[in-house]
Amino acid sequence: MAVTLVWFRDDLRISDNPALVAAADSGDDVVACYVLDEETEGIRPLGGASRWWLHHSLSALGASLDQLGVPLVLRRGAAGDVIHRLVEDSGAHAVVWNRRYGLAERTADSSLKSSLTNRGVDATSYQANLLYEPWEVTSGSGQAYKVFTPFWRACLTFRTPRAPLAAPDSLSSPDGPGLDSDELPAWGLLPTEPDWAQGLRDTWTPGEAGAHERLDDFLDGAAQGYKNSRNLPAVHGTSMLSPHLRFGEISPFEVWHAAQDHKDSSTAEDIRVFGSELGWREFSWQLLYFNPELATVNYRPEFDAFTWESSTQAELEAWQRGRTGYPLIDAGMRQLWEIGWMHNRVRMATASFLIKNLMIDWRVGEKFFWDCLVDADAASNAASWQWVAGSGADASPYFRIFNPVLQSKKFDPKGDYLVRFVPELADAENVHEPWKGSAPGYPAPVVDLKESRERALSAYKALSES
Ligand code: FAD
């Protein structure tokens, strides 16, 4: 019986998985594999929280594939070499995978495709993880859009996202002893000493079933009123699907269609706004596709001349540990530490504080988030940090400096979010401005908001005049 090898990457699901469907439809025996690639040059190693997620996601995928009759083979190494070895071991005549869009990933995939083809092995890739391929909907000049609204309008006019594909009912596996596979725990993806993952375990269920549960909960609950409640960090007002989308445990096509099917006259506007958030994910990937160095190089080169003040290590650590003396910033950074995720509004405020009030290079923040977020995404993280810095596409202007006190008064007026993540504020006389009264155990502000704002504005002015 002929064998097709399915190579799973950022698509850890069995439903709406075009590569898996193609293998099932071929009638071949199927071998499924995942390669932990920490060797191919340019592929960014996962951060700690993402490694935790990957472990559990692979474990869930393995269980789903077992039910379909196919074990998940785990191997480690430079993926190009490992896939060739798997082709030899399995005798596969074809390899299928779903596309990735980072430059290093694309380079590795296209060189693998050529070497497989040269060897007489069919190699086919599919669109699975973005609603629109980054090159499909470009600006008039064939480049990436610079502004989100026309990009997203053009996408929606270009094509309605295709319907999701059903998971195969069953797969056939080659007879015989099965291929050698690493043991997942031996990859050491989970933290041990210390084990900082308790909050992650309490919050998340990595894997396809967990992803669909999140989607259903969202559509039955927070979707109604999403347009407003998505701004309130104390409320469970967003889908929390980001890590599931990041690891491809659910596809954007599944999310898109489930949301559209759920739409009625009372939720139409909420669903439109939710759809446009998926659009920001698409926009970020188009930016990364056309600007592969988005995580390290200013999208707007004029920002290269910006002089970052060298803030002290103590200030950076205060930000990282949620001890800046500004409740919204501290609650956000502690939420990040506790559950590996932070509310979007608070991500904007904490990033603005690092970049503008502490005047620390956005790349330092991008890296820290990369390590701590369970949804750390090469495109969305880089694009969002540059958006806040003002150096990105369609960016928030540099002079827009989030005031953490006004933000918490407006979006968390009772301080519920603040106290949830900074419990010592429960006894503060003034939860939004604790320095104005007694706040036992809570630090004094690391910088003065007004002075640091003026310092940032004058640095920006100097840049725009240079
Ligand atoms: P929902 O509001 O339910 O939105 C649905 C989905 O749309 C999300 O799951 C996500 O895939 C996408 N989405 C929503 N907002 C954005 C956005 N602004 N940009 C891109 N996609 C979006 N998002 C990531 O997925 N990974 C990151 O590494 C990441 N880093 C960020 C860093 C900073 C500094 C900022 C300001 C934002 C970052 N975001 C990132 C975007 C956004 O904060 C998260 O996508 C969102 O908070 C995830 O929560 P949710 O799933 O409940 O979102």
Side-chain angles (χ1 to χ4, degrees):
M1 183 83 160
V3 172
T4 290
L5 177 65
V6 183
W7 177 20
F8 285 89
R9 299 105 67 86
D10 295 330
D11 50 355
L12 306 180
R13 60 176 182 272
I14 56 165
S15 63
D16 195 31
N17 187 324
L20 184 66
V21 167
D25 289 352
S26 70
D28 288 354
D29 281 344
V30 172
V31 169
C33 70
Y34 181 89
V35 182
L36 181 63
D37 186 351
E38 292 168 314
E39 292 175 26
T40 299
E41 205 181 321
I43 294 191
R44 192 173 184 182
L46 295 182
S50 297
R51 288 167 70 83
W52 175 87
W53 192 285
L54 177 65
H55 176 101
H56 293 291
S57 192
L58 286 173
S59 165
L61 177 68
S64 305
L65 285 168
D66 275 341
Q67 280 186 359
L68 288 176
V70 167
L72 179 63
V73 176
L74 302 175
R75 297 266 177 108
R76 187 173 200 161
D81 300 339
V82 174
I83 295 296
H84 271 287
R85 237 172 290 129
L86 279 165
V87 164
E88 265 154 45
D89 294 353
S90 63
H93 76 108
V95 183
V96 290
W97 63 71
N98 295 312
R99 285 185 205 115
R100 307 181 286 188
Y101 303 96
L103 179 61
E105 289 82 356
R106 279 189 279 135
T107 308
D109 291 353
S110 70
S111 122
L112 176 62
K113 207 176 220 181
S114 323
S115 59
L116 286 169
T117 310
N118 289 341
R119 203 178 153 176
V121 175
D122 278 346
T124 315
S125 64
Y126 297 87
Q127 176 189 0
N129 294 337
L130 290 177
L131 299 171
Y132 302 95
E133 298 284 34
W135 55 85
E136 275 184 334
V137 186
T138 52
S139 69
S141 58
Q143 288 299 303
Y145 273 90
K146 291 187 164 64
V147 181
F148 171 73
T149 305
F151 164 77
W152 190 231
R153 200 184 304 125
C155 286
L156 295 176
T157 313
F158 178 71
R159 187 176 60 223
T160 302
R162 65 156 174 78
L165 309 172
D169 292 331
S170 66
L171 296 168
S172 69
S173 178
D175 294 335
L179 301 181
D180 286 347
S181 170
D182 293 350
E183 294 293 328
L184 185 53
W187 282 0
L189 297 171
L190 299 178
T192 46
E193 287 171 18
D195 170 12
W196 41 257
Q198 188 57 45
L200 276 63
R201 287 192 286 273
D202 292 344
T203 310
W204 303 102
T205 310
E208 196 164 355
H212 283 273
E213 218 171 284
R214 277 268 184 229
L215 176 61
D216 294 345
D217 280 356
F218 172 68
L219 292 175
D220 292 341
Q224 176 107 34
Y226 173 81
K227 187 179 177 189
N228 295 322
S229 55
R230 64 181 287 271
N231 277 311
L232 310 176
V235 170
H236 184 42
T238 65
S239 69
M240 294 181 85
L241 279 168
S242 49
H244 299 288
L245 280 162
R246 152 68 187 88
F247 285 92
E249 297 167 351
I250 193 164
S251 83
F253 299 94
E254 295 177 297
V255 177
W256 173 268
H257 281 284
Q260 297 306 314
D261 293 348
H262 204 80
K263 194 160 72 178
D264 60 27
S265 56
S266 70
T267 54
E269 183 57 7
D270 295 315
I271 298 296
R272 186 194 64 75
V273 175
F274 179 68
S276 80
E277 296 309 318
L278 293 174
W280 274 99
R281 178 174 177 272
E282 302 278 321
F283 184 56
S284 303
W285 274 102
Q286 179 172 84
L287 288 171
L288 185 81
Y289 179 81
F290 283 96
N291 304 274
E293 309 297 333
L294 199 63
T296 48
V297 176
N298 286 310
Y299 171 86
R300 292 174 56 190
E302 61 270 31
F303 272 76
D304 292 350
F306 192 80
T307 335
W308 298 100
E309 297 275 322
S310 43
S311 260
T312 62
Q313 181 64 19
E315 286 169 345
L316 174 60
E317 280 176 16
W319 179 80
Q320 290 171 331
R321 293 177 183 181
R323 297 197 57 78
T324 64
Y326 289 101
L328 186 69
I329 307 306
D330 294 344
M333 296 307 290
R334 294 193 204 182
Q335 179 178 35
L336 175 62
W337 187 248
E338 211 171 301
I339 69 165
W341 182 92
M342 194 196 298
H343 189 275
N344 180 58
R345 176 146 295 278
V346 192
R347 291 189 203 206
M348 293 191 286
T350 52
S352 170
F353 189 82
L354 183 83
I355 298 166
K356 297 175 184 176
N357 296 98
L358 297 182
M359 276 190 70
I360 293 178
D361 193 327
W362 61 265
R363 284 161 273 234
V364 174
E366 195 276 344
K367 271 198 205 142
F368 189 72
F369 270 31
W370 179 263
D371 198 30
C372 297
L373 281 170
V374 284
D375 64 21
D377 177 274
S380 300
N381 198 38
S384 301
W385 273 93
Q386 293 227 40
W387 183 89
V388 178
S391 61
D394 202 1
S396 171
Y398 189 85
F399 52 78
R400 179 164 182 217
I401 299 178
F402 282 73
N403 179 317
V405 175
L406 298 182
Q407 289 283 315
S408 68
K409 282 183 175 170
K410 184 165 177 196
F411 295 108
D412 184 31
K414 292 197 195 132
D416 295 336
Y417 174 78
L418 304 181
V419 171
R420 188 179 315 151
F421 289 102
V422 188
E424 64 266 34
L425 284 172
D427 299 326
E429 283 171 12
N430 184 334
V431 73
H432 297 285
E433 295 169 285
W435 56 89
K436 288 192 170 165
S438 135
Y442 188 66
V446 281
V447 283
D448 179 80
L449 277 187
K450 193 159 173 267
E451 273 168 27
S452 57
R453 180 172 194 279
E454 275 158 17
R455 180 178 65 158
L457 288 176
S458 61
Y460 174 64
K461 195 157 171 267
L463 176 72
S464 55
E465 286 167 359
S466 67

